[in-house]
Amino acid sequence: MSYTFQFGVVAQYQDEILTGIWLTIKLSVLSIILGSAAGVVLASMRSIQGGTVRFLVDAYVEIIRNTPFLVQLFIVYFGLPGLGLRVGADTAALIGMTINLAAYSTEIIRAGIEAVHKPQIEAGEALGFTRFQIYRHVVIVPAIAKVYPALCSQFVLMMLASSICSAISTHELAASAAFVESQTYRSFEIYIVVTLIYLALALALRAGLALVGMWLFGRRVARQAMTVLPEVPA
Amino acid sequence: MKISNFMRAAVTAIGIGVASLASIADAGAAALNDIISRGTVRIGVLTGAPPMGMVDEKGNPTGYDVDVANLIAGYLSLPVELVPLTPPARIPALQTGKVDFLVATLAPTGERAKTVMFTQPYSAFNMDIISGPDQKFASLADLAGKRVAVNRGSSQETALRKAAVPGLEIVVFEDDSTSAQALIAGQADAVALPSTVGEAIIKQRPDAGLQVGFTFFQQGNSMATKLEDFELRQWLNTAIYLMKISGDLDKVAMKWTGRPMPTLPSF
């Protein structure tokens, strides 16, 4: 097979690709912040409240985790206008990604909360901590520290899954790639370039998350977040 | 004497050169023989764009392209393996050898002709601008400031970008049905669709109140081969000619679009 690679053609569309990269970064960072915040709130609510709240949170988590991301995006973009709620493609992508990531974060943080040993809570009570202090210092922060590597993996997966948003006309990196491909028919070249960009973005995101982890939980947790396969927390 | 010796040497050199070029050309352009010796032909057909290409209730490919592909396989006297392709996957599938050639409602464009080789047209349709019940468009100028949905990499996308209507926003989706869905959901003001596809969607969703605005160009569709497969292209052109004079192509056009095939210039 004699295929002549022509990366110069792709280089002409530099601005187009940079626009795509920028939207992918914006969508990923915002959905990670919003999704993980929602995850902390929902996981706390279900562990504190129980009953109906727990049932509703679990139902949400299971519905999102057991349906395809693409279908969720279609429902936000094509379905909500039927209910009179019309959002643009970028907003729809952000909503879809946040809803999806919130469900996964809730599930991961729930596992962390359930892994907190009861005697530790009792120790907190014995030391005269208030309920809020116990929840903050003994339960939620150590819980998130334990599952931080798993959360980071999920964040990176979400960043990569943002490529699916091109299906609802969100003009992120995958859409830029498809546009350049449809203009030049240089599929190999553009997808090689875009694969490398996604790889670089994923590694940069991991490094960034490791720094955040170091700031929040100290060096050991951050190191685990950097490894590709999270170690089992000690 | 000296001169004739030189001439003889030159002629021999040219002869060797031509022979080696011919053998290189042979190595690149043996697709027709390859197909016949393999014993089956793999044809890429369009999917997700009724009535040109879609799947039936049993999940098998069906539509205009499938009927033409089966006719072609009949002319080749070979069993056919149909490979359904979404619009953006058509040219890459051909380039990577997943299919021998395309019968996939692919419109010839100058840009595409740099990467694949086109036959003469085997089908044609009008490209329409379709809008919702609240507004109707009569010309390209009416589309200023509007959002028009198109299918990625399609000839309607190219045509709309070339028209460069000021303020027109082109919204890109993966296929015709998603583009139409964007109009129905109110995410776009209009959609650019082949008339065949547009009529099918208007019939399927009478509640959406979709209406045809205007035809902005007529599109002929060609089969496509790899850039070096001259023999195969010539064979396909011959088969298309035969299907035109036998009336087979008109029958397929009547079956799927309700009218005979429009006459288009050939090349």
Side-chain angles (χ1 to χ4, degrees):
Chain A
M1 170 127 189
S2 55
Y3 187 89
T4 319
F5 284 95
Q6 290 188 15
F7 286 100
V9 182
V10 176
Q12 288 168 7
Y13 287 88
Q14 194 185 349
D15 290 350
E16 167 68 30
I17 294 170
L18 284 175
T19 318
I21 294 177
W22 178 228
L23 186 58
T24 293
I25 292 176
K26 274 195 291 192
L27 285 175
S28 305
V29 170
L30 282 175
S31 68
I32 287 171
I33 293 171
L34 296 173
S36 54
V40 171
V41 171
L42 290 175
S44 304
M45 274 166 60
R46 82 175 281 294
S47 77
I48 297 168
Q49 295 279 327
T52 320
V53 173
R54 173 176 294 207
F55 173 79
L56 288 176
V57 171
D58 286 356
Y60 163 70
V61 167
E62 291 311 316
I63 287 170
I64 297 296
R65 286 176 67 232
N66 293 296
T67 50
F69 180 50
L70 181 62
V71 175
Q72 295 163 12
L73 282 176
F74 277 162
I75 288 177
V76 173
Y77 189 69
F78 292 127
L80 290 189
L83 305 174
L85 192 68
R86 180 163 306 147
V87 288
D90 294 1
T91 319
L94 181 60
I95 294 173
M97 287 170 72
T98 303
I99 288 176
N100 187 280
L101 194 53
Y104 279 94
S105 314
T106 305
E107 180 66 3
I108 293 170
I109 295 169
R110 175 192 69 81
I113 291 174
E114 285 177 6
V116 173
H117 294 298
K118 213 159 192 131
Q120 286 186 317
I121 297 170
E122 288 162 2
E125 281 164 355
L127 287 169
F129 277 22
T130 62
R131 276 191 64 178
F132 175 73
Q133 283 174 321
I134 291 176
Y135 195 76
R136 185 180 157 202
H137 295 291
V138 182
V139 179
I140 193 75
V141 173
I144 296 174
K146 272 198 188 94
V147 296
Y148 191 66
L151 273 179
C152 291
S153 280
Q154 197 59 47
F155 294 162
V156 171
L157 283 177
M158 191 73 252
M159 190 276 288
L160 297 177
S162 70
S163 58
I164 297 174
C165 300
S166 62
I168 55 163
S169 79
T170 308
H171 208 88
E172 42 64 69
L173 181 53
S176 294
F179 174 74
V180 177
E181 197 223 339
S182 73
Q183 296 291 306
T184 63
Y185 300 98
R186 289 275 158 198
S187 338
F188 292 149
E189 287 88 341
I190 180 65
Y191 285 115
I192 288 171
V193 169
V194 167
T195 304
L196 292 176
I197 294 173
Y198 271 116
L199 183 63
L201 284 178
L203 293 175
L205 180 57
R206 267 188 194 285
L209 288 169
L211 285 177
V212 173
M214 200 182 298
W215 173 59
L216 287 175
F217 311 112
R219 199 170 285 276
R220 192 177 56 82
V221 171
R223 208 169 38 239
Q224 285 169 354
M226 263 312 268
T227 55
V228 176
L229 283 171
E231 296 162 36
V232 179
Chain B
M1 246 348 186
K2 257 186 181 171
I3 289 173
S4 74
N5 270 346
F6 172 76
M7 286 296 283
R8 196 174 299 156
V11 168
T12 317
I14 291 170
I16 291 170
V18 169
S20 56
L21 272 180
S23 67
I24 290 170
D26 266 359
L32 187 56
N33 288 331
D34 284 351
I35 295 166
I36 293 166
S37 60
R38 194 195 310 128
T40 69
V41 55
R42 294 169 308 183
I43 306 179
V45 293
L46 185 62
T47 192
M52 307 313 283
M54 62 265 188
V55 287
D56 65 13
E57 52 277 13
K58 288 183 196 121
N60 299 318
T62 182
Y64 199 121
D65 284 343
V66 172
D67 282 3
V68 176
N70 282 326
L71 279 174
I72 287 279
Y75 278 86
L76 267 175
S77 314
L78 285 176
V80 60
E81 188 188 321
L82 294 174
V83 182
L85 299 167
T86 57
R90 290 174 295 184
I91 290 178
L94 179 63
Q95 284 177 320
T96 53
K98 284 198 169 64
V99 296
D100 297 319
F101 56 90
L102 298 172
V103 183
T105 311
L106 193 66
T109 65
E111 199 54 46
R112 284 173 176 168
K114 291 181 197 161
T115 46
V116 298
M117 189 158 53
F118 289 101
T119 64
Q120 56 172 307
Y122 71 92
S123 75
F125 45 67
N126 297 330
M127 198 59 74
D128 287 344
I129 295 287
I130 296 171
S131 63
D134 312 328
Q135 47 188 352
K136 190 168 180 171
F137 304 110
S139 72
L140 280 173
D142 288 356
L143 296 176
K146 301 294 179 187
R147 288 163 58 83
V148 179
V150 294
N151 143 13
R152 191 187 312 284
S154 61
S155 50
Q156 58 266 42
E157 183 189 356
T158 313
L160 271 186
R161 287 196 194 283
K162 203 170 276 177
V165 180
L168 165 65
E169 193 187 343
I170 296 170
V171 211
V172 188
F173 295 93
E174 298 300 318
D175 51 33
D176 284 335
S177 38
T178 319
S179 307
Q181 188 57 45
L183 172 64
I184 294 171
Q187 295 284 14
D189 296 302
V191 56
L193 286 178
S195 54
T196 47
V197 179
E199 280 160 18
I201 290 169
I202 291 172
K203 213 182 287 174
Q204 287 274 319
R205 288 293 303 267
D207 54 310
L210 303 184
Q211 47 184 345
V212 178
F214 64 100
T215 296
F216 71 112
F217 73 97
Q218 192 180 50
Q219 179 186 312
N221 303 299
S222 290
M223 301 179 192
T225 69
K226 278 191 195 169
L227 212 44
E228 65 270 20
D229 289 344
F230 280 96
E231 272 177 46
L232 181 58
R233 189 191 83 120
Q234 188 53 32
W235 186 88
L236 289 171
N237 268 339
T238 314
I240 293 168
Y241 165 75
L242 292 171
M243 290 190 294
K244 277 182 181 163
I245 55 166
S246 70
D248 283 348
L249 274 184
D250 272 340
K251 266 185 230 155
V252 177
M254 283 300 287
K255 175 176 167 192
W256 294 105
T257 67
R259 56 184 95 120
M261 188 187 153
T263 337
L264 276 182
S266 292
F267 57 88

